[in-house]
Amino acid sequence: MPTVAALFPPKDERIRWDDYLTRELFHANERVAHGSVVPTIDLAELRSQLAEFDFCTPRGLDELLPWTIAQLEHGVVHMTNPRYFGLFNPAPSFPALCGDRLTGVFNPQLATATTSPAAVEIESHVIRAVARRAGLPPESTGHFTSGGSEANYTAVLCALTRANPSFATEGARAFDGPPVFYISRESHLAWVKIGHQAGIGRSAVRQVATDGRGRMDAAALEKMLDQDVARGSVPVLIVATAGTTNAGMIDPIKRCADLARQRGLWLHVDAAWGGAALASDRLRAALGGVERASSVTIDAHKWFATTMGCGMFITRDPEILSQTFQVSTGFMPSNSASVDPYVNTAQWSRRFLGVRLFLSLGAAGWSGYARHVERSIDLIARLRELLSADGWRIANDSQLAVLCVEPPAGVAEVRAIVQHVLASGRAWVAVAKYEGRDVIRICLTHGETTVDDIRELADALTAAGAAVAQECVTART
Ligand SMILES: Cc1ncc(COP(=O)(O)O)c(C=O)c1O
């Protein structure tokens, strides 16, 4: 029976296409690094070309691959450009790219250890190493997730299951009152969706006031807990963010841990991007208290610089994790609570997610990652000096690699400035809300950003500020 050669080409052709991709992608990446950070594509033209793909007439890879590469080269915001000061999605490390290639070729199924013993073992080894680095106890366990949101969702399910084992069968009805959990107002608001997903509702996600500098106000948390209990709600979880999305602020983890212990609650530390600071002996003290967490989220696809879709959920409580996800079916080859991912995670069929962090950590070691995160911190400090000298005001005092800035006096239009910078294609920055104010958010997690790149950003911001000021004058006259 002949195979479909378009799907399974002969070996020599595969080698030819692999070589082609290696070369073409290298050159595309070089062009991206020196080109526009923002998309330059004509979307109407793309749509009309796409309309011609009716999938009735097959096309050759010699047409499909260059076409698709060109769309990606010109049609996305480039996280791999060193002047992308964006949302933590960094340029992937080279070992991580190798990991993607290995995973794609072997395509192991990580639902069970029986089907992929080596891959499951490698992932567990990495998770244990990160748990140790965070100071969690040796019995800690966890798994790779699709991202921080899945890891945070896992924390909510674990907290609910621990608070009331009948949650497993009865859901929220198992509780004497509505179950609730606590985040700060500056947290990543995927938590709100998570409340919905977990079936306890968006109103179960209690947003605690911050201290005016982006950190959860522990006194406000305590007061809210008391009020909620008095009203009949059932607190199950406190979330401390270690590296807020907007401003890189770190909640008072130790105070949250004290409160969680006193009240018998699960403590989750959302260190989705800040967690990489654990690699550095110089920076890790900023995350003090993380070792007391019931569970932690760290995304390797953020500051650890793997490709997308590489979150981690780590917990000191393996028992609760497997109670939360335990299920038994006849068709799965094994059901071992301590090793099989499908009985410990929200996913079933699983990609070999962790190999990218395994290869990156293996190649750089903790010391390499320490240099990686410290260079971001040093560059952001240089940028802070450059912008302050130009009259920009620094709104946040993060210990991590995010700067929130406000324009010099007289140039108030944060959104307009950001639009100018993006239109120039010279850099990518975002508008964010920090303590209720619009700020320009600059995050530096790209491992190859240089001093010249931050000078270019400072120039682009100052030019945009001047253009906006001029526009305001013109509009007034
Ligand atoms: C603190 C924090 N938590 C959670 C998330 C969500 O992670 P993901 O986008 O990987 O789902 C983010 C994303 O930026 C984040 O900054």
Side-chain angles (χ1 to χ4, degrees):
M1 185 82 68
T3 57
V4 180
L7 297 178
F8 305 99
K11 288 193 188 88
D12 53 340
E13 247 187 72
R14 290 184 191 211
I15 290 173
R16 190 159 63 78
W17 286 121
D18 266 350
D19 289 348
Y20 164 84
L21 277 179
T22 302
R23 257 194 335 276
E24 279 307 301
L25 292 178
F26 176 80
H27 292 306
N29 214 248
E30 289 284 288
R31 290 190 297 273
V32 161
H34 297 102
S36 169
V37 188
V38 297
T40 50
I41 207 161
D42 175 348
L43 213 50
E45 174 59 24
L46 169 64
R47 289 192 184 118
S48 90
Q49 290 187 23
L50 264 180
E52 288 167 26
F53 284 85
D54 59 4
F55 305 121
C56 292
T57 317
R59 304 188 190 201
L61 286 180
D62 51 348
E63 187 188 342
L64 288 167
L65 291 177
W67 186 86
T68 310
I69 291 172
Q71 307 319 308
L72 287 171
E73 187 176 333
H74 303 292
V76 300
V77 171
H78 284 300
M79 274 112 228
T80 61
N81 183 306
R83 281 165 285 105
Y84 172 76
F85 298 97
L87 304 175
F88 310 122
N89 313 124
S93 75
F94 185 68
L97 288 168
C98 297
D100 265 339
R101 203 161 168 175
L102 299 186
T103 300
V105 169
F106 288 98
N107 199 26
Q109 163 61 290
L110 267 76
T112 65
T114 314
T115 39
S116 301
V120 168
E121 205 58 45
I122 289 170
E123 282 200 341
S124 307
H125 182 76
V126 177
I127 291 285
R128 284 195 299 269
V130 178
R132 267 200 309 280
R133 189 81 201 167
L136 289 161
E139 65 276 16
S140 298
T141 182
H143 51 267
F144 284 88
T145 62
S146 57
S149 301
E150 183 198 327
N152 287 346
Y153 175 51
T154 302
V156 170
L157 294 182
C158 286
L160 286 161
T161 308
R162 174 181 168 277
N164 187 340
S166 302
F167 174 73
T169 46
E170 304 298 318
R173 291 183 303 277
F175 289 89
D176 292 336
V180 289
F181 71 92
Y182 298 83
I183 61 170
S184 95
R185 271 204 306 241
E186 292 273 326
S187 305
H188 191 277
L189 291 184
W191 288 109
V192 176
K193 290 202 300 183
I194 289 169
H196 189 159
Q197 261 174 286
I200 55 175
R202 292 171 183 236
S203 63
V205 187
R206 310 286 287 134
Q207 295 189 31
V208 180
T210 44
D211 62 358
R213 294 163 71 204
R215 304 177 180 93
M216 183 187 276
D217 177 343
L221 168 64
E222 193 164 9
K223 195 164 156 205
M224 206 179 223
L225 278 162
D226 288 339
Q227 285 169 345
D228 286 348
V229 171
R231 268 194 224 113
S233 296
V234 183
V236 296
L237 156 74
I238 296 170
V239 177
T241 305
T244 57
T245 312
N246 282 339
M249 306 311 296
I250 299 173
D251 286 340
I253 304 176
K254 290 178 185 163
R255 291 282 310 277
C256 292
D258 289 343
L259 276 170
R261 195 192 49 227
Q262 284 159 20
R263 300 183 179 234
L265 308 181
W266 188 272
L267 172 71
H268 182 72
V269 175
D270 179 4
W273 76 272
L278 289 168
S280 157
D281 290 337
R282 192 177 111 199
L283 302 173
R284 62 189 299 179
L287 271 59
V290 67
E291 69 286 350
R292 294 173 61 189
S294 315
S295 58
V296 183
T297 288
I298 302 178
D299 275 351
H301 66 229
K302 292 193 165 79
W303 212 358
F304 274 108
T306 70
T307 48
M308 293 275 198
C310 196
M312 284 179 273
F313 175 79
I314 303 174
T315 177
R316 69 196 307 129
D317 199 334
E319 184 68 22
I320 292 293
L321 186 63
S322 70
Q323 269 178 40
T324 303
F325 293 105
Q326 182 51 241
V327 63
S328 138
T329 67
F331 62 84
M332 293 303 278
S334 53
N335 184 329
S336 164
S338 58
V339 289
D340 282 334
Y342 83 103
V343 287
N344 285 287
T345 76
Q347 297 185 31
W348 198 284
S349 288
R350 285 184 70 250
R351 187 177 166 82
F352 188 11
L353 300 169
V355 66
R356 294 162 291 168
L357 184 57
F358 169 72
L359 290 174
S360 302
L361 254 179
W366 289 111
S367 61
Y369 268 116
R371 292 199 303 281
H372 168 68
V373 294
E374 285 168 12
R375 91 185 274 290
S376 295
I377 299 285
D378 294 345
L379 280 169
I380 210 95
R382 292 282 288 277
L383 181 63
R384 172 194 286 256
E385 283 166 20
L386 281 178
L387 290 175
S388 302
D390 275 352
W392 293 80
R393 287 162 296 154
I394 309 299
N396 65 335
D397 61 346
S398 171
Q399 293 155 284
L400 304 174
V402 167
L403 218 51
C404 292
V405 299
E406 292 170 291
V411 190
E413 290 295 326
V414 162
R415 280 175 196 278
I417 292 175
V418 167
Q419 269 164 19
H420 268 272
V421 172
L422 300 189
S424 75
R426 292 168 75 185
W428 199 95
V429 290
V431 178
K433 276 259 186 265
Y434 171 64
E435 291 289 1
R437 309 197 299 279
D438 275 353
V439 292
I440 300 174
R441 178 183 171 285
I442 303 162
C443 172
L444 202 159
T445 48
H446 191 303
E448 291 177 301
T449 297
T450 62
V451 173
D452 283 346
D453 292 316
I454 59 170
R455 284 209 188 99
E456 169 105 25
L457 170 63
D459 281 354
L461 282 167
T462 301
V468 171
Q470 184 57 45
E471 280 165 16
C472 292
V473 171
T474 314
R476 275 200 295 269
T477 54

